[in-house]
Every structure is written in C-alpha cells, then in structure tokens.
Amino acid sequence: MSAEATNPEAHPEARPELRRRGRSRIDLRRLGRAALLGPTSRDRLPDAIGHVAEAHRAHHPDADMSILRRAYLLAESSHRGQMRKSGEPYITHPLAVTLILAELGAETTTLTASLLHDTVEDTDVTLDQVRAEFGDEVCFIVDGVTKVEKIDYGAAAEPETFRKMLVATGNDVRVMSIKLADRLHNMRTLGVMRPEKQARIAKVTRDVLIPLAERLGVQALKTELEDLVFAILHPEEYEGTRALIAAHAGERDPLPGIADSVRTVLREAGISAEVQVRPRHFVSVHRIARSRGELRGSDFGRILVLVGENADCYGVLGELHTCFTPVVSEFKDFIATPKFNLYQSLHTAVATPEGYVAEVIVRTRQMHRVAEAGVVALGNPYATATPDAAADPDEERVDPTRPGWLSRLLDWQQSAPDPDTFWTVLRAELAQDREITVFRADGGTLGLPAGASCIDAAYAQHGEAAHRCIGASVNGRLTSLSSSLSDGDTVQLLLAQDASSGPAAEWLDHARTPAARIAIGSWLETHPDRAMATTTAARAPLSVVGARGGGANAVADVPDATVRLAGCCTPVPPDAVAGFLVRGGAVTVHRIHCAAVAQMRAVGRTSVAVHWRATADCRVTLLAESFGRPHLLADLTEAIAHEGVEVVSATVEPPVEGRVRHTYTLQLPDAAGLPALMRAMRDVPGVYDVSRA
C-alpha cells in the first residue's frame, strides 16, 4: 500500500469540502519532501524552512527566528548524506515534524527541539553541544525525545516499551507532542514498508499513541492518525467510507445553507460570530454510518460557531434554540464542565424546517485553538518560572500544564508489579474517555475516571494510607466504599486509627483506577492470611450474654400475667404503649405506633391495659451500625459501661461491604439516660448510626 493510499488527504475527491471552502490548505507531507537546503545569506532563513517560519509567525508574530535558523543549519549539516527509506534526504523528516507543530501553534523552544530531535541519536551531535548552543530547555526536550526514539517497539509492542516512554516523556508534555508529530509524519510515509510492518506500527499507534493524543487534547493529530490507521488496518471499510464521501460530493449539501441561516440569525441578534462548516473525518463518518445506518447530507459534517467571549457562547445557544427546533438530548455543556483534556465547547443539534438535523459546536476562538492543539497551544509551561532560580538537573520537573491523568500514570507506573500488569492497566486507563472531578472535604479536588468508586478516591487522596479506610460520606450521607461517584460529588473518607488495618479482597471488584488496584493487590499479596480471611464464608453472629437479666418494668392489668417487652420496637419509659394477650397467657407490650399493633388488632388479639412501674430502670435494645475495624466491640462496650449501663446481651453480625451491625440489649438504671447513652455510642470512632431496635 502506498503512502498516498494510506493518507486521506491525498485524495481531493474524498475531501470535497476543501474545494468548497475555496481556501488553500498546506500539504504538510508534500512540503516535507521539498525541504532541501537552498541558497541563503547569513541573515535570512534558509528557503527550506520558510513554511515553518510562516506558520510560526501566524501564531507568534514576535518570535525570534534566528534560533530556528541555527537549529536548522545544525540539523541539515548533521543529517547530510543520510536518506530515508522513501529515498528522500533525511532532513525532510525533522522539517515535516516541525511544520506540523508550527501549524498547531507550538512555541519556539518546541520547534527548535523538533528540528534537532534526531540529531543526538542518529548523528555525531552530543547533548552537551545542544546545551551549549541552545540552552537547557532545548537540551532537556531533545534528551527526552531521544530516550523515546531508543525504545524498541518490538513485534508485539512490549509493555516495558510504554513504561519507558511514559517515564521519558511524562515530565514535559512537549516531549510527547514531538513524539506524536513524529509518528504522524512516519505514518504518512508508511507506504514504503512491508505490509506486516505497516500493520504492526498501525496497531501500536491505535492502542497507545492515538489515546495519548486524545488525552493531550491534540485533536488535529489524533483525527489524522485515526484515518491513517483506519486505512491500513481496515482497508475494505476505509474504501467503503471513501466511496460514501465521494458519492456525497455529487449531491446537494444542506450544511452550507443551514450555516447561512445561522449567520443571519446571529447577525440580527447582534452577535459577532464566525460560522464554518466542519467536515467529518473518515473515521467519524464511518462511526456515524454504523450507528445511524443510511446517512443524510447533514451527517457528513458539523457547524462550528466561533465567538469572542464565553458569555457569547450562551447567547448563540439561546438564539439557536429560539429560532430552530433544538434536539434536547444532544445538548452538552463542556464549558461549565470541561473534559479531562482541556476541551471546552457547547454541543447542540437543531432541526430545520426541511427536516435536516445539524450538529452545532459553539466555542470561543481561544477554546478552538485549545480544542485543535491541546497542550501544544499552552506554550512553554516553564515560561513563568523565576529566571534566577537555580535548577537542580537531577530534580524532577513538575509541569504545571500536566493533565491529572498523566500525573496518575506517572505515579502508578512506578508501583506496577510487572510489565504485563502495567500494559493491561495502561490500556484500560487510556480507554477511559471521560473524567470526573470530585471535591474533598478539606476543599481540594480529585480527578478520577468516570465510574470511579469511593475506594478509588481514597487511594487518590491518601495513597497507601487508604488501606485503613473504613467508610465514606458522599454529599453528607454515609455510604459504602463500593459506591460510584459522580461529577461534582463531595466525598469525605473515614480512616481507622489502627495502622494494621487493611483492605478487603472484594475491594478489587469496585476499584477502577490503576493506583487503587495495584495498591490493593500488593497488600493482599503480602498479607495472604488476611486476604483469605476476607473471602471465607460468612461466620455465625458473635453473641455476648451478660451475667444476669432484668425483669420487665411494665405492668399489665391481668393478674399474675407474664409481661414481655416486644423486641420489634423495644418500648421504654415513658413511651406510650399497648398490650395484647398472646398464647400462654403472656402479655406482650408494644409502642403505640409499632406496626405490630395494627396486626394484633387485625387478627383479633385481646387488648390489655398496661402501664409503667414507678421504678426508673428499664431494658432497651439498641442497634449500632459501624464500619468494621479491630477492637470496635471492646470500644463500644467500654463506652456503654462508662454510662453506667449493664450489657444484658450483644450480637455482632459478620461484616457486609466493610460495615458491621451490632445489637445490644441493655439494662439502664434510669430511662432518662437513654439519649446520652446513644450519643456516647455514636461518638465511638467508626460508628455512624445508633437506633432503637
């Protein structure tokens, strides 16, 4: 398969929107081939990087081009005589990679490092030379890219490969940006390789590099990589999609007319906006065709509305929903709740009187730049650092623009027990296409993948100390650790004081993040006895019976009758009560509002008048619900004894999802002390509710 066959951009008939726009589009691949060194004076840029300079000035008008000139001259002289497998001079590759990044708006330091990214590995240029000529920043980035280039992807994309890649690139997202642009240019020229090698490289790109591009927000690279991979791995479906787009080119496209209507509506509303028709790329058309079946003209693209301010976005939305029929289910607000990769926009869909449904994206121009270029659009993340600060070359650099998911990857990759586990968890993490933000009780925030549970939040906040987690409160309500979290939830995590506490094996069933799963698995491996104990069959309830019992302190108007306080409602003085005669001549006493009272009357039980004795002592049954932890029964018993209350009996049920239920029958010297007793029991760490049975 030729490079042209794998590149949708090489088929103008498959991209009719380019002709409709009437705008010139730079063919980055063709320009890369033309990047031979031309005649130049000492003070002007070489002809070969004129397009790079033009693209760079479009985003950074005041950029110093002299450093690019020096970087190009060093790269060209170093690579002179080297050829690519396609037969082109090797310098065409770093030039094409740099042009890709310049089109995205990368700053000068990134472009300089991009021109030099292969010199240290493939030529006699050393890192010391790069540092002396271009400074520490460029040297750091070139070194990171060199480490990535030294990785051998192997026949099956070995897991250790990607661990090394993350370590090499994670400390500076600019390294990863150059790697993605490098892969894009290599994919464009992949046709010179054997089909089996094309497929291997395409699978690596699909499994890891495309998800990385998505998570870095670099949509311009991600969409083209998707199309190139699609053409190689699914040639028949690719050709079918190409035929669909080509057939659509000969039909009337309703989107330009709808765009004109949108322009008219916004102009009359006094909103200054730029309205464009954005064609879908090949993979997007393929996905739409699979989900909707037969495609209509409006399915081949979307309408993009660009405005100046955030408030204008909502003004546009109001006009669209007023003047057209909105499809409510299609509305998404990614401005109020940005996606994990910095993406912000309003998404909606409107129906026209002709019956077409057009998807509309509304964003500011700055949002558009970030949506297309992601972290590349953020510039130099270290530009605001204090210039006089002495940098330690051995100290890890912390990138303020580093997304939360990338920080998590860098953290847990150090703890992954083996490459296979790392690879499995890496792919699962990259497959997560949505992230939620939850608020901590102390006011901080946690970024977690969608579907994360309280267990994930515990390990994200406390690390290995989360082994001692015994419960959680979400939005002020106590809940189990297995509960899933939603975007915007406030979570408070409860930790046991006993450092020997550990997670239960069933926590693995509810953990979604790599950090939580690896930490739990490691703890269970080092504590096999504790792990087995958590998975054994439910034990019989533990019962503790006091030395003596107490008689009922209720009196029935039946001579010599045995009086029993009902266990369903455990009445105590001064509760209003009702008595009923049951088998054996006994009288059972219920609180007047107990459900059993109505049942007794319904079956015709004889009602008996009852009253409380003058004595103040009483017997009561209390239920204490708590999170399981060592010594809990002892602490509760001590709290009860401190209130001067006698324990008649106690039953402790086996833990369920980390929660334990205790049932106590207690003899109180004075019924008036019941509220204080219940408060004292609630104050025991781990106890979250105490109620009468």
Side-chain angles (χ1 to χ4, degrees):
M1 184 180 296
S2 67
E4 286 78 8
T6 64
N7 184 6
E9 297 291 350
H11 301 282
E13 71 276 8
R15 299 296 299 270
E17 70 278 5
L18 301 183
R19 298 200 309 271
R20 287 198 304 270
R21 287 182 195 168
R23 296 192 297 129
S24 61
R25 182 182 178 91
I26 295 178
D27 187 338
L28 301 178
R29 185 170 55 86
R30 178 178 57 79
L31 292 176
R33 290 176 177 172
L36 295 175
L37 180 64
T40 180
S41 66
R42 291 181 63 87
D43 298 326
R44 67 185 289 265
L45 287 168
D47 293 341
I49 58 170
H51 291 295
V52 173
E54 181 183 351
H56 189 37
R57 285 197 180 100
H59 295 278
H60 305 276
D62 300 326
D64 179 11
M65 298 296 173
S66 62
I67 189 173
L68 290 181
R69 178 184 183 278
R70 290 188 287 115
Y72 173 77
L73 292 176
L74 176 59
E76 194 281 330
S77 61
S78 303
H79 290 297
R80 189 174 296 163
Q82 296 178 350
M83 307 295 287
R84 304 194 79 212
K85 291 184 178 180
S86 60
E88 300 164 338
Y90 194 88
I91 188 61
T92 61
H93 172 65
L95 268 171
V97 172
T98 306
L99 183 55
I100 291 170
L101 293 169
E103 286 283 318
L104 292 174
E107 39 80 46
T108 308
T109 303
T110 303
L111 299 186
T112 304
S114 176
L115 284 168
L116 301 169
H117 78 271
D118 279 337
T119 55
V120 174
E121 181 182 9
D122 295 337
T123 74
D124 294 332
V125 176
T126 66
L127 280 174
D128 289 337
Q129 287 177 277
V130 173
R131 181 181 291 107
E133 183 71 20
F134 301 100
D136 291 336
E137 285 294 310
V138 173
C139 179
F140 183 90
I141 299 173
V142 170
D143 185 34
V145 178
T146 301
K147 290 175 181 177
V148 175
E149 294 300 326
K150 288 181 179 179
I151 296 171
D152 178 15
Y153 284 88
E158 288 88 346
E160 193 62 25
T161 291
F162 297 98
R163 187 199 296 263
K164 292 176 181 176
M165 186 185 75
L166 280 175
V167 173
T169 65
N171 289 332
D172 196 320
V173 292
R174 294 174 293 181
V175 176
M176 204 172 286
S177 302
I178 295 175
K179 175 60 186 175
L180 290 172
D182 174 82
R183 174 50 61 95
L184 175 56
H185 183 246
N186 285 335
M187 288 292 295
R188 287 172 173 173
T189 58
L190 207 58
V192 298
M193 295 185 177
R194 299 187 308 274
E196 59 272 18
K197 190 169 185 180
Q198 290 185 35
R200 177 173 65 82
I201 294 176
K203 287 177 181 177
V204 173
T205 304
R206 176 196 64 192
D207 290 344
V208 173
L209 295 178
I210 287 177
L212 281 177
E214 166 72 15
R215 287 181 162 254
L216 290 172
V218 194
Q219 292 296 319
L221 299 187
K222 180 228 176 188
T223 53
E224 187 175 350
L225 284 172
E226 280 186 329
D227 285 350
L228 293 166
V229 168
F230 184 41
I232 293 173
L233 298 183
H234 306 282
E236 293 182 0
E237 294 178 345
Y238 170 78
E239 289 299 329
T241 305
R242 228 182 99 196
L244 271 177
I245 295 175
H248 168 65
E251 300 174 354
R252 176 183 173 273
D253 188 348
L255 286 178
I258 299 174
D260 287 338
S261 300
V262 171
R263 290 188 190 97
T264 301
V265 166
L266 298 182
R267 184 170 57 250
E268 292 176 351
I271 299 176
S272 177
E274 178 184 352
V275 182
Q276 303 176 6
V277 174
R278 296 272 291 181
R280 295 184 184 274
H281 64 108
F282 276 51
V283 171
S284 179
V285 171
H286 175 68
R287 289 171 180 158
I288 293 293
R290 291 186 62 181
S291 63
R292 300 181 185 175
E294 184 178 354
L295 297 181
R296 304 187 66 187
S298 57
D299 292 330
F300 286 86
R302 293 183 288 190
I303 293 175
L304 174 65
V305 181
L306 299 179
V307 295
E309 303 293 337
N310 287 17
D312 294 336
C313 294
Y314 294 97
V316 170
L317 183 70
E319 294 297 326
L320 290 176
H321 285 189
T322 300
C323 300
F324 299 91
T325 303
V327 181
V328 179
S329 61
E330 295 294 323
F331 173 68
K332 298 181 181 67
D333 187 346
F334 294 118
I335 295 178
T337 55
K339 295 178 72 174
F340 61 86
N341 59 3
L342 313 176
Y343 179 88
Q344 288 184 287
S345 291
L346 295 178
H347 287 213
T348 189
V350 295
T352 67
E354 295 79 15
Y356 291 109
V357 175
E359 295 183 31
V360 184
I361 301 173
V362 185
R363 58 174 72 130
T364 67
R365 290 174 178 82
Q366 174 60 20
M367 291 176 190
H368 180 59
R369 185 173 171 228
V370 174
E372 292 291 297
V375 295
V376 178
L378 300 178
N380 184 352
Y382 309 102
T384 57
T386 305
D388 299 331
D392 183 353
D394 297 326
E395 185 178 352
E396 179 183 352
R397 294 147 56 97
V398 178
D399 186 342
T401 65
R402 179 193 293 173
W405 64 266
L406 182 55
S407 295
R408 292 199 303 271
L409 284 180
L410 292 171
D411 290 340
W412 65 255
Q413 65 84 21
Q414 299 176 5
S415 306
D418 59 80
D420 290 335
T421 299
F422 170 80
W423 174 243
T424 301
V425 179
L426 170 65
R427 293 184 64 180
E429 171 76 5
L430 292 178
Q432 295 284 347
D433 61 353
R434 195 167 66 86
E435 188 170 85
I436 62 173
T437 299
V438 298
F439 296 92
R440 294 166 20 181
D442 59 7
T445 60
L446 298 172
L448 298 169
S453 66
C454 295
I455 295 172
D456 298 305
Y459 283 94
Q461 179 174 349
H462 297 293
E464 292 191 356
H467 293 332
R468 299 187 285 113
C469 194
I470 56 175
S473 170
V474 177
N475 302 326
R477 297 176 64 87
L478 289 157
T479 185
S480 66
L481 288 173
S482 61
S483 299
S484 295
L485 295 168
S486 300
D487 199 36
D489 281 347
T490 298
V491 58
Q492 180 179 8
L493 301 159
L494 310 175
L495 302 184
Q497 297 178 350
D498 187 356
S500 65
S501 300
E506 57 263 27
W507 285 18
L508 287 172
D509 297 332
H510 307 290
R512 297 290 179 268
T513 58
R517 295 188 61 82
I518 291 173
I520 295 168
S522 298
W523 191 92
L524 293 175
E525 286 182 4
T526 56
H527 299 78
D529 296 338
R530 298 282 294 276
M532 291 183 62
T534 60
T535 57
T536 53
R539 301 180 300 273
L542 171 65
S543 297
V544 180
V545 181
R548 68 177 185 85
N553 53 353
V555 179
D557 290 346
V558 177
D560 301 324
T562 301
V563 178
R564 300 173 183 166
L565 299 180
C568 56
C569 56
T570 61
V572 296
D575 291 342
V577 291
F580 295 91
L581 196 63
V582 295
R583 292 187 181 90
V587 175
T588 180
V589 179
H590 296 263
R591 280 191 276 175
I592 196 68
H593 298 297
C594 177
V597 171
Q599 296 175 358
M600 289 285 190
R601 289 172 176 163
V603 298
R605 295 290 186 187
T606 303
S607 177
V608 176
V610 293
H611 62 275
W612 297 109
R613 290 179 181 173
T615 180
D617 69 326
C618 67
R619 180 175 295 187
V620 64
T621 300
L622 298 180
L623 298 180
E625 296 184 83
S626 65
F627 300 109
R629 66 173 179 84
H631 312 301
L632 179 60
L633 180 61
D635 291 345
L636 269 169
T637 305
E638 181 180 357
I640 293 170
H642 189 267
E643 296 296 317
V645 176
E646 179 184 358
V647 178
V648 177
S649 66
T651 301
V652 183
E653 300 177 11
V656 177
E657 294 187 348
R659 292 184 289 182
V660 183
R661 182 179 172 129
H662 308 247
T663 304
Y664 295 93
T665 300
L666 306 172
Q667 187 73 28
L668 279 71
D670 188 344
L674 181 59
L677 170 65
M678 296 174 70
R679 283 195 300 271
M681 294 174 67
R682 290 192 187 101
D683 289 339
V684 174
V687 177
Y688 61 84
D689 192 24
V690 176
S691 60
R692 289 169 63 180

